[in-house]
Amino acid sequence: MLVICDQCNHSFTIEKENIRNILINDIEVTYLECKECNHKYVISCIDEYIMKEQRRYQKLIRDNNKGDSLKCLMNMKVHSNRLKNKIINNI
């Protein structure tokens, strides 16, 4: 996938070997960096709450509970964004 860096406008292709994972305060952070300016882009942040909600979401989908599954997704998105804001300066 071709992307353009928001910071330097350099275009580069996302490759699997360029995606990195680190653990910060029990939060698994997946990110990639611009090859030109090293600006970091967070792909995902997963902690114990997110893992628990992912299991709950899978059960809701199996039970065909669309209303609660959408709420669960939104809760995970909000929580993940909070995690991202919390750790963004530590990567």
Side-chain angles (χ1 to χ4, degrees):
M1 170 185 247
L2 185 67
V3 296
I4 299 173
C5 178
D6 295 333
Q7 301 297 311
C8 71
N9 292 321
H10 176 71
S11 60
F12 60 97
T13 303
I14 298 175
E15 297 173 12
K16 187 174 181 176
E17 58 270 4
N18 295 333
I19 296 175
R20 299 187 178 133
N21 291 300
I22 58 173
L23 191 63
I24 301 173
N25 299 328
D26 295 325
I27 302 167
E28 182 182 333
V29 181
T30 304
Y31 71 99
L32 60 92
E33 288 184 55
C34 171
K35 295 174 184 173
E36 186 71 22
C37 71
N38 297 324
H39 181 75
K40 293 170 180 67
Y41 291 92
V42 175
I43 297 169
S44 68
C45 295
I46 300 174
D47 66 355
E48 190 62 37
Y49 174 80
I50 294 290
M51 291 190 317
K52 182 183 87 169
E53 287 298 289
Q54 286 175 338
R55 290 187 295 271
R56 186 170 82 91
Y57 175 75
Q58 290 170 351
K59 183 181 182 317
L60 290 168
I61 293 297
R62 280 192 305 272
D63 295 344
N64 202 25
N65 190 335
K66 292 181 182 176
D68 286 343
S69 65
L70 288 175
K71 289 177 189 176
C72 184
L73 276 177
M74 291 303 296
N75 288 342
M76 284 190 287
K77 177 66 177 162
V78 168
H79 185 76
S80 185
N81 285 342
R82 286 184 189 138
L83 292 175
K84 176 184 171 183
N85 291 334
K86 180 178 175 180
I87 57 89
I88 195 71
N89 294 323
N90 294 325
I91 59 172

